[in-house]
């Protein structure tokens, strides 16, 4: 590698890997407007401030709860969503600051 070559930021690579899966990308997109994209009947927490319960995400996605949880865990490891426990339920919301930094970094990198 020459001095002029730039080594990609490992966090950027992790985020791009997470977004490479179309279902994870769809989940992140849905979480952008939770009140519009999810049936939140019976929600026990504010979907904007706390996030959307995995149960509601799973119902929309039509996938097994374990599959949805695995997809969301990958998005969380990439820093794209934040998880909050409310009782025995986990709620997810987008990390808008991290997403904005990712977009800016992509603009500088590509």
């Amino acid at each position: 590698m020459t001095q002029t070559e730039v080594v990609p930021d490992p966090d950027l690579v992790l985020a791009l890997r997470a977004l490479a899966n179309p279902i994870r990308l769809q989940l992140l997109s849905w979480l952008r407007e939770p009140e519009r994209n999810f049936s939140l009947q019976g929600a026990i927490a504010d979907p904007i401030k706390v996030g959307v319960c995995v149960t509601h995400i799973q119902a929309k996605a039509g996938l097994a709860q374990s599959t949805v949880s695995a997809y969301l865990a990958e998005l969380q490891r990439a820093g794209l969503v934040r998880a909050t426990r409310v009782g025995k339920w986990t709620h997810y919301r987008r990390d808008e600051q991290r997403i904005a930094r990712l977009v800016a970094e992509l603009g500088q990198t590509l």
Side-chain angles (χ1 to χ4, degrees), residues 34-59:
E35 293 172 319
R36 178 178 173 202
N37 290 306
F38 296 98
S39 173
L40 298 170
Q41 291 176 300
I44 61 172
D46 183 314
I48 303 296
K49 293 180 183 175
V50 179
V52 179
C53 181
V54 170
T55 303
H56 291 103
I57 299 169
Q58 183 264 328

Side-chain angles (χ1 to χ4, degrees), residues 25-92:
L25 185 60
Q26 182 66 66
L27 296 177
L28 191 64
S29 177
W30 286 340
L31 288 171
R32 184 175 192 155
E33 296 180 276
E35 293 172 319
R36 178 178 173 202
N37 290 306
F38 296 98
S39 173
L40 298 170
Q41 291 176 300
I44 61 172
D46 183 314
I48 303 296
K49 293 180 183 175
V50 179
V52 179
C53 181
V54 170
T55 303
H56 291 103
I57 299 169
Q58 183 264 328
K60 171 113 178 159
L63 300 169
Q65 185 271 330
S66 59
T67 302
V68 171
S69 291
Y71 284 148
L72 290 165
E74 184 71 21
L75 290 170
Q76 184 181 11
R77 279 191 295 276
L80 300 170
V81 298
R82 292 179 181 244
T84 303
R85 295 281 296 182
V86 178
K88 64 180 182 175
W89 294 277
T90 303
H91 292 68
Y92 289 90

